[in-house]
Amino acid sequence: RSSKNAPVTSAVKGERQRLNYHSHKTKQNKTFLHRLCVILSALAPFVYFQFYLLYKLTNGKEDATERIAYQLGSSPGYEIVTTNYGWTTTASKNFTRRILSGEFFRAVLSHPNYNKSAWQDLEEHPDPTRKLAIFLDVDTCLENNYPTYVSRKWWFNVEKDHPARGDFKSHILESCQYIKRAAQSPALLANPDSKLVLIDCSGSRRFHLVRVCKKEFEEIYSHQHQIVVAYMSIARKEALEVDVGLPPPAIKPINLTSEEVISVNECRERNYVFSFQGNPGHGRDQLVGLKGEDDVYINVVSRKKYMGDITVGGNDTMNYAAILKQSYFAASPRGDNLFSYRFAEILSAGAVPVVYADDWLPPFNTPNVSKKQAFDWSNCAVFIPESKYNKTLDIIRAIPITKRCKMQQCAVGAWERYASSRAGWLRGILASLPHTNHLDV
């Protein structure tokens, strides 16, 4: 045993340093483990709740996975694919593409269930176990007024790096052959529950795909239950049972601030119970008869006076946005066609659309009124027959304040989830597709 005063050798120093180092590391490890335990303890209830919720949803319910998928905005049971005829090929720049079509196509490509290589693989090796939602990579969306309302100058709304040749419907005629080709593909026909989804943005029925491509549709009639046409403007009686509606794009969307969204959620007061600004005609003139009350704003004016306003990011000489933001209800009357661009614009303002368009197929609804719809618009909008314009104020004033507030909140939610973007379109279309065997649709 060495004396306290004995000299410390280098070996002793080294041993002491080694012991001190391991002691320090042990303390560090204990601190790390302690912190890890604290974090895991805090997360444990949350993780347990997630597993418990999943168990409750799936226990004894065959459709629970699909219902969870609905909430997440995915495509329950459907694998999303695109054809390889146009925009997905090296010849993409040779195919016309409207701005609206480009937005939707990019939404399809961005979906988490999109399979880039599936179409070519399945054409060569059809698989009856795979249920597909198929979208064309060519333009079928005959929309001339988005994002700029330019009437006959349709080429303004074509993407700049794609050609705008012929007249406004030339490229739709070119797309007919691709509709037929996709509809007859073994990739689609292998599974009778797979769907070919066509986007039809035409306001006029004479330019609907089924009319423009009449010959091709007649040739694929035998399996039309697999062809879903999403229409922006069609009467229920003219749509097939598997077809769905689409919301028109907002040409002049209203951008609510976070404070304005809060005001809707808190049911704060607005200045006008009902408002309308726009062109006369198609029954709209009857709205003039609703003038005379302080909480009603009606301004029927020739389109020429506000033509420069009708564009995304355009002027607002008529205070269109401000009036909508101060309205509980706002008119969305049909024009030359059944749909109205105002429908989505009113939703964006946190107001409730009052629709005057007899038999219009609402967005993401099917013609089968007995079937449960993907979205119940009666919670967000009021539908009044075109013969009852003069009953408008009686109808909306009879709606209780609490219900009116919930309708406004529903309108904001519908705008954000379904109508504000083409990703919303896709979400709504997928939710509208049948999720049972096609014979039960």
Side-chain angles (χ1 to χ4, degrees):
R1 185 176 298 178
S2 61
S3 169
K4 292 181 179 180
N5 297 323
V8 179
T9 64
S10 59
V12 172
K13 284 183 177 180
E15 182 64 17
R16 287 179 180 176
Q17 289 174 351
R18 187 181 69 80
L19 292 172
N20 288 338
Y21 171 78
H22 284 292
S23 174
H24 176 69
K25 291 296 293 183
T26 300
K27 289 180 180 179
Q28 280 188 329
N29 290 339
K30 286 182 177 179
T31 302
F32 171 76
L33 289 172
H34 175 72
R35 290 175 178 172
L36 181 61
C37 288
V38 171
I39 293 171
L40 290 176
S41 298
L43 290 175
F46 174 78
V47 175
Y48 170 78
F49 175 76
Q50 296 300 310
F51 279 105
Y52 175 76
L53 178 61
L54 184 61
Y55 168 77
K56 294 297 287 183
L57 284 171
T58 57
N59 187 29
K61 298 179 180 179
E62 295 178 355
D63 64 338
T65 302
E66 292 189 355
R67 289 191 292 102
I68 294 170
Y70 265 76
Q71 296 167 6
L72 297 177
S74 65
S75 53
Y78 285 96
E79 183 179 352
I80 299 176
V81 302
T82 54
T83 57
N84 59 356
Y85 307 145
W87 302 328
T88 58
T89 70
T90 55
S92 172
K93 298 295 178 67
N94 296 329
F95 288 81
T96 299
R97 186 160 79 189
R98 280 172 162 79
I99 292 172
L100 187 63
S101 303
E103 290 180 359
F104 182 78
F105 188 67
R106 286 187 287 275
V108 172
L109 301 186
S110 300
H111 195 279
N113 286 18
Y114 174 62
N115 189 333
K116 182 178 181 180
S117 61
W119 182 253
Q120 183 172 346
D121 295 341
L122 290 170
E123 284 219 291
E124 297 172 359
H125 308 287
D127 187 346
T129 67
R130 293 165 71 174
K131 187 167 68 169
L132 310 177
I134 303 164
F135 297 88
L136 291 181
D137 64 332
V138 295
D139 207 342
T140 60
C141 180
L142 193 62
E143 166 51 63
N144 295 334
N145 294 314
Y146 176 89
T148 302
Y149 196 99
V150 290
S151 188
R152 296 181 181 179
K153 297 179 182 179
W154 61 274
W155 54 88
F156 278 36
N157 294 317
V158 172
E159 290 187 355
K160 301 305 179 187
D161 53 349
H162 289 268
R165 57 179 178 268
D167 64 16
F168 71 97
K169 65 179 185 299
S170 295
H171 69 286
I172 302 297
L173 289 168
E174 294 174 0
S175 296
C176 294
Q177 60 179 309
Y178 299 116
I179 293 174
K180 175 184 173 182
R181 186 171 161 187
Q184 294 179 336
S185 169
L188 171 68
L189 301 179
N191 186 332
D193 290 328
S194 291
K195 304 297 178 188
L196 170 62
V197 182
L198 306 175
I199 307 300
D200 191 330
C201 308
S202 174
S204 172
R205 63 192 297 269
R206 67 192 180 103
F207 294 123
H208 283 160
L209 292 174
V210 294
R211 293 178 179 273
V212 175
C213 305
K214 182 179 180 181
K215 177 183 175 183
E216 287 76 10
F217 271 89
E218 287 175 349
E219 293 180 19
I220 58 180
Y221 178 80
S222 60
H223 46 273
Q224 278 199 348
H225 66 272
Q226 289 190 265
I227 304 170
V228 176
V229 184
Y231 289 100
M232 211 157 69
S233 180
I234 194 170
R236 283 184 184 273
K237 63 185 178 183
E238 295 183 352
L240 296 182
E241 195 168 355
V242 293
D243 295 337
V244 300
L246 268 185
I251 294 178
K252 197 166 186 64
I254 313 303
N255 299 313
L256 294 182
T257 65
S258 56
E259 179 61 28
E260 287 168 338
V261 173
I262 291 172
S263 73
V264 172
N265 293 331
E266 294 181 349
C267 307
R268 296 179 191 171
E269 289 188 9
R270 291 188 168 192
N271 293 336
Y272 304 109
V273 70
F274 180 75
S275 70
F276 172 75
Q277 292 196 84
N279 204 42
H282 304 286
R284 299 176 180 188
D285 308 73
Q286 298 179 57
L287 292 171
V288 177
L290 304 180
K291 278 185 174 183
E293 302 187 40
D294 293 338
D295 60 353
V296 175
Y297 186 95
I298 305 294
N299 183 22
V300 178
V301 59
S302 170
R303 184 182 294 144
K304 292 181 180 180
K305 293 187 177 180
Y306 61 93
M307 196 68 182
D309 293 6
I310 317 176
T311 178
V312 174
N315 300 321
D316 194 6
T317 56
M318 295 171 60
N319 293 323
Y320 182 68
I323 297 298
L324 278 183
K325 285 181 180 182
Q326 284 299 317
S327 302
Y328 292 117
F329 298 89
S332 178
R334 63 163 299 172
D336 295 334
N337 305 300
L338 277 175
F339 79 104
S340 171
Y341 295 110
R342 287 178 179 80
F343 183 82
E345 294 166 355
I346 293 167
L347 294 175
S348 73
V352 178
V354 180
V355 179
Y356 310 87
D358 293 351
D359 205 34
W360 177 54
L361 182 63
F364 315 123
N365 280 203
T366 66
N368 187 351
V369 293
S370 62
K371 174 189 171 185
K372 185 177 180 180
Q373 303 293 342
F375 195 90
D376 185 358
W377 285 102
S378 66
N379 295 323
C380 299
V382 177
F383 294 85
I384 296 179
E386 294 176 44
S387 61
K388 295 187 177 180
Y389 269 96
N390 61 336
K391 301 292 184 182
T392 297
L393 294 182
D394 294 335
I395 293 171
I396 63 176
R397 289 191 190 280
I399 297 174
I401 293 176
T402 52
K403 182 179 179 180
R404 182 183 70 192
C405 180
K406 289 180 180 179
M407 293 180 78
Q408 286 182 266
Q409 294 165 359
C410 177
V412 171
W415 163 252
E416 293 176 347
R417 185 163 178 77
Y418 294 111
S420 62
S421 68
R422 275 7 93 202
W425 275 21
L426 180 59
R427 183 180 294 115
I429 290 170
L430 293 174
S432 305
L433 295 181
H435 299 97
T436 58
N437 185 277
H438 72 279
L439 296 176
D440 300 325
V441 174

